[in-house]
PDB file of all heavy atoms in Angstrom:
ATOM      1  N   PRO A 197      50.304  22.230   9.865  1.00 98.00           N
ATOM      2  CA  PRO A 197      51.237  23.214   9.380  1.00 98.00           C
ATOM      3  C   PRO A 197      51.151  23.470   7.896  1.00 98.00           C
ATOM      4  O   PRO A 197      50.630  22.617   7.151  1.00 98.00           O
ATOM      5  CB  PRO A 197      52.616  22.620   9.749  1.00 98.00           C
ATOM      6  CG  PRO A 197      52.345  21.581  10.781  1.00 98.00           C
ATOM      7  CD  PRO A 197      50.925  21.139  10.550  1.00 98.00           C
ATOM      8  N   LYS A 198      51.731  24.579   7.451  1.00 97.00           N
ATOM      9  CA  LYS A 198      51.796  24.872   6.016  1.00 97.00           C
ATOM     10  C   LYS A 198      52.511  23.753   5.323  1.00 97.00           C
ATOM     11  O   LYS A 198      53.423  23.114   5.811  1.00 97.00           O
ATOM     12  CB  LYS A 198      52.574  26.218   5.805  1.00 97.00           C
ATOM     13  CG  LYS A 198      51.823  27.396   6.238  1.00 97.00           C
ATOM     14  CD  LYS A 198      52.558  28.639   5.952  1.00 97.00           C
ATOM     15  CE  LYS A 198      51.857  29.865   6.528  1.00 97.00           C
ATOM     16  NZ  LYS A 198      52.458  31.121   6.121  1.00 97.00           N
ATOM     17  N   TRP A 199      52.129  23.637   4.086  1.00 96.00           N
ATOM     18  CA  TRP A 199      52.841  22.736   3.198  1.00 96.00           C
ATOM     19  C   TRP A 199      53.645  23.571   2.212  1.00 96.00           C
ATOM     20  O   TRP A 199      53.043  24.396   1.485  1.00 96.00           O
ATOM     21  CB  TRP A 199      51.872  21.837   2.414  1.00 96.00           C
ATOM     22  CG  TRP A 199      52.451  20.936   1.405  1.00 96.00           C
ATOM     23  CD1 TRP A 199      53.688  20.321   1.468  1.00 96.00           C
ATOM     24  CD2 TRP A 199      51.886  20.548   0.189  1.00 96.00           C
ATOM     25  NE1 TRP A 199      53.878  19.533   0.342  1.00 96.00           N
ATOM     26  CE2 TRP A 199      52.773  19.631  -0.464  1.00 96.00           C
ATOM     27  CE3 TRP A 199      50.659  20.797  -0.448  1.00 96.00           C
ATOM     28  CZ2 TRP A 199      52.547  19.052  -1.742  1.00 96.00           C
ATOM     29  CZ3 TRP A 199      50.390  20.243  -1.711  1.00 96.00           C
ATOM     30  CH2 TRP A 199      51.354  19.384  -2.294  1.00 96.00           C
ATOM     31  N   ASP A 200      54.937  23.410   2.186  1.00 95.00           N
ATOM     32  CA  ASP A 200      55.759  24.151   1.243  1.00 95.00           C
ATOM     33  C   ASP A 200      55.714  23.380  -0.064  1.00 95.00           C
ATOM     34  O   ASP A 200      56.559  22.533  -0.359  1.00 95.00           O
ATOM     35  CB  ASP A 200      57.171  24.272   1.793  1.00 95.00           C
ATOM     36  CG  ASP A 200      58.036  25.287   1.024  1.00 95.00           C
ATOM     37  OD1 ASP A 200      57.447  25.876   0.147  1.00 95.00           O
ATOM     38  OD2 ASP A 200      59.096  25.518   1.431  1.00 95.00           O
ATOM     39  N   THR A 304      55.653  31.044   0.866  1.00 91.00           N
ATOM     40  CA  THR A 304      55.500  30.456   2.163  1.00 91.00           C
ATOM     41  C   THR A 304      55.023  31.427   3.243  1.00 91.00           C
ATOM     42  O   THR A 304      54.372  31.058   4.180  1.00 91.00           O
ATOM     43  CB  THR A 304      56.790  29.793   2.685  1.00 91.00           C
ATOM     44  OG1 THR A 304      57.829  30.759   2.407  1.00 91.00           O
ATOM     45  CG2 THR A 304      57.080  28.531   1.940  1.00 91.00           C
ATOM     46  N   TYR A 346      54.635  15.179   5.211  1.00 96.00           N
ATOM     47  CA  TYR A 346      54.993  16.259   4.317  1.00 96.00           C
ATOM     48  C   TYR A 346      56.349  16.013   3.663  1.00 96.00           C
ATOM     49  O   TYR A 346      57.301  15.661   4.312  1.00 96.00           O
ATOM     50  CB  TYR A 346      55.209  17.575   5.098  1.00 96.00           C
ATOM     51  CG  TYR A 346      53.989  18.208   5.682  1.00 96.00           C
ATOM     52  CD1 TYR A 346      53.247  17.576   6.628  1.00 96.00           C
ATOM     53  CD2 TYR A 346      53.565  19.445   5.206  1.00 96.00           C
ATOM     54  CE1 TYR A 346      52.059  18.147   7.219  1.00 96.00           C
ATOM     55  CE2 TYR A 346      52.421  20.054   5.787  1.00 96.00           C
ATOM     56  CZ  TYR A 346      51.722  19.384   6.786  1.00 96.00           C
ATOM     57  OH  TYR A 346      50.553  20.019   7.305  1.00 96.00           O
ATOM     58  N   ASN A 348      58.390  18.535   2.259  1.00 92.00           N
ATOM     59  CA  ASN A 348      58.255  19.947   2.325  1.00 92.00           C
ATOM     60  C   ASN A 348      59.336  20.641   1.498  1.00 92.00           C
ATOM     61  O   ASN A 348      60.252  21.230   2.047  1.00 92.00           O
ATOM     62  CB  ASN A 348      58.388  20.380   3.813  1.00 92.00           C
ATOM     63  CG  ASN A 348      57.348  21.401   4.189  1.00 92.00           C
ATOM     64  OD1 ASN A 348      56.558  21.847   3.437  1.00 92.00           O
ATOM     65  ND2 ASN A 348      57.419  21.799   5.507  1.00 92.00           N
ATOM     66  N   THR A 354      58.591  14.471   6.582  1.00 94.00           N
ATOM     67  CA  THR A 354      58.408  14.714   8.037  1.00 94.00           C
ATOM     68  C   THR A 354      56.969  14.548   8.366  1.00 94.00           C
ATOM     69  O   THR A 354      56.101  14.836   7.567  1.00 94.00           O
ATOM     70  CB  THR A 354      58.847  16.116   8.454  1.00 94.00           C
ATOM     71  OG1 THR A 354      58.276  17.050   7.598  1.00 94.00           O
ATOM     72  CG2 THR A 354      60.336  16.295   8.397  1.00 94.00           C
ATOM     73  N   ARG A 355      56.716  14.056   9.560  1.00 96.00           N
ATOM     74  CA  ARG A 355      55.336  13.925   9.987  1.00 96.00           C
ATOM     75  C   ARG A 355      54.836  15.297  10.469  1.00 96.00           C
ATOM     76  O   ARG A 355      55.471  15.973  11.085  1.00 96.00           O
ATOM     77  CB  ARG A 355      55.341  12.950  11.242  1.00 96.00           C
ATOM     78  CG  ARG A 355      55.763  11.521  10.859  1.00 96.00           C
ATOM     79  CD  ARG A 355      55.632  10.632  12.116  1.00 96.00           C
ATOM     80  NE  ARG A 355      54.224  10.545  12.509  1.00 96.00           N
ATOM     81  CZ  ARG A 355      53.285   9.693  12.019  1.00 96.00           C
ATOM     82  NH1 ARG A 355      53.637   8.869  11.085  1.00 96.00           N
ATOM     83  NH2 ARG A 355      52.119   9.693  12.456  1.00 96.00           N
ATOM     84  N   GLY A 356      53.592  15.554  10.083  1.00 96.00           N
ATOM     85  CA  GLY A 356      52.932  16.800  10.459  1.00 96.00           C
ATOM     86  C   GLY A 356      52.070  16.570  11.612  1.00 96.00           C
ATOM     87  O   GLY A 356      51.365  15.554  11.694  1.00 96.00           O
TER      88      GLY A 356
HETATM   89  C1  LIG B 198      56.752  23.080   5.875  1.00 85.25           C
HETATM   90  O1  LIG B 198      57.355  24.234   5.559  1.00 85.25           O
HETATM   91  C2  LIG B 198      56.608  25.423   5.959  1.00 85.25           C
HETATM   92  C3  LIG B 198      57.221  26.600   5.356  1.00 85.25           C
HETATM   93  O2  LIG B 198      58.581  26.677   5.583  1.00 85.25           O
HETATM   94  C4  LIG B 198      56.579  25.405   7.520  1.00 85.25           C
HETATM   95  O3  LIG B 198      55.826  26.537   7.932  1.00 85.25           O
HETATM   96  C5  LIG B 198      55.880  24.135   7.971  1.00 85.25           C
HETATM   97  O4  LIG B 198      55.934  24.112   9.345  1.00 85.25           O
HETATM   98  C6  LIG B 198      56.606  22.892   7.412  1.00 85.25           C
HETATM   99  N1  LIG B 198      55.824  21.708   7.686  1.00 85.25           N
HETATM  100  C7  LIG B 198      56.294  20.738   8.462  1.00 85.25           C
HETATM  101  C8  LIG B 198      55.397  19.604   8.712  1.00 85.25           C
HETATM  102  O5  LIG B 198      57.345  20.764   8.954  1.00 85.25           O
END
Side-chain angles (χ1 to χ4, degrees):
K198 287 183 187 187
W199 176 34
D200 195 357
T304 47
Y346 291 65
N348 224 358
T354 49
R355 296 183 61 85

